[in-house]
Amino acid sequence: MMNLVHLNEQMLAKSCSEGNKVAEEELYRRYAVKVYALCKRYLGNDDDAKDLMLETLIKALDKIDSFKYTNEGSLYGWIRRIAINKALNQIKRHRWRMIPMDLWTQDNIPEPTEDEVIDIPNERILAWITELPESRRTVFNLHCVDGYSHKEISQMLGITETASTSLLAKARKTLKEKIRKYLKEQDK
């Protein structure tokens, strides 16, 4: 049996494009957990995230011939983009609702400092993000985690930039409230 653990991304993609089943298993082993975590951030549901992770990796293997290697990390970047597109399509197709275009007002909750947040377990923060309403969670993930601009988000989701900004502000406010409550409870 061929060992592909030390194969770089370019060679792994090439082996997958040649139909090498061991290479396909290695691609799954390397990226399944990361893709699942990304899908969970967007969909908030374990079963949906597992399904979407599998759909993403299957599509990646089906389309591996179209992958263009640029540097180490580009294979995961390409797979990540497939996952984000599939997640957004699923959200829009099944559950996306019209978003009220109300303008947000500044909240009075101070931004948590890095020192305050550093001791909060990552699982707790991820759970708070997952608990956000779907539209807020989606915009939060796209902007804060994946680095898209409000203009890009508005185009992806078919909403205005103002709606994207508003949803992000509401998501941030909710998360700041949860962080403040958590910190207050830890002081007791």
Side-chain angles (χ1 to χ4, degrees):
M1 180 181 237
M2 183 188 291
N3 184 352
L4 301 174
V5 173
H6 301 292
L7 211 56
N8 72 24
E9 287 184 340
Q10 185 175 22
M11 294 308 297
L12 179 62
K14 184 177 184 318
S15 294
C16 286
S17 72
E18 294 169 349
N20 182 321
K21 297 300 178 200
V22 176
E24 291 174 0
E25 290 172 13
E26 177 62 17
L27 183 130
Y28 180 88
R29 188 194 65 72
R30 284 188 194 182
Y31 301 114
V33 171
K34 287 178 172 180
V35 172
Y36 167 78
L38 183 145
C39 294
K40 173 85 176 186
R41 275 192 295 113
Y42 278 91
L43 302 179
N45 173 295
D46 283 327
D47 291 336
D48 290 345
K50 287 175 190 170
D51 290 346
L52 194 63
M53 178 267 299
L54 289 172
E55 288 176 30
T56 297
L57 293 176
I58 289 168
K59 182 172 182 177
L61 287 170
D62 286 346
K63 302 289 185 184
I64 197 77
D65 288 336
S66 68
F67 167 69
K68 302 290 185 239
Y69 180 84
T70 54
N71 56 29
E72 200 62 26
S74 62
L75 179 59
Y76 175 66
W78 180 73
I79 293 170
R80 181 176 159 268
R81 187 70 194 132
I82 293 170
I84 290 171
N85 285 337
K86 289 186 98 28
L88 294 178
N89 286 338
Q90 183 168 327
I91 289 166
K92 286 191 281 188
R93 186 174 55 248
H94 294 295
R95 298 184 291 253
W96 194 262
R97 294 170 210 37
M98 291 304 295
I99 301 163
M101 301 301 166
D102 60 331
L103 295 175
W104 58 277
T105 56
Q106 295 255 342
D107 62 62
N108 294 331
I109 304 166
E111 287 287 328
T113 65
E114 192 173 321
D115 289 339
E116 290 175 314
V117 175
I118 198 135
D119 291 328
I120 300 174
N122 286 340
E123 299 79 29
R124 183 71 257 155
I125 294 171
L126 289 174
W128 291 332
I129 293 169
T130 300
E131 292 166 2
L132 289 169
E134 183 177 86
S135 56
R136 294 177 191 181
R137 181 177 65 239
T138 300
V139 171
F140 180 85
N141 281 319
L142 286 169
H143 187 75
C144 295
V145 180
D146 296 315
Y148 290 100
S149 70
H150 288 293
K151 182 176 183 174
E152 292 168 317
I153 294 168
S154 71
Q155 292 168 348
M156 284 187 232
L157 300 179
I159 61 175
T160 65
E161 288 181 55
T162 303
S164 177
T165 304
S166 175
L167 288 166
L168 178 62
K170 291 173 184 174
R172 290 175 54 84
K173 179 181 180 191
T174 300
L175 293 173
K176 287 192 294 185
E177 288 170 345
K178 290 181 182 286
I179 290 169
R180 289 288 163 221
K181 181 178 178 190
Y182 178 87
L183 293 173
K184 186 176 180 181
E185 289 171 355
Q186 297 309 305
D187 284 342
K188 290 182 179 179

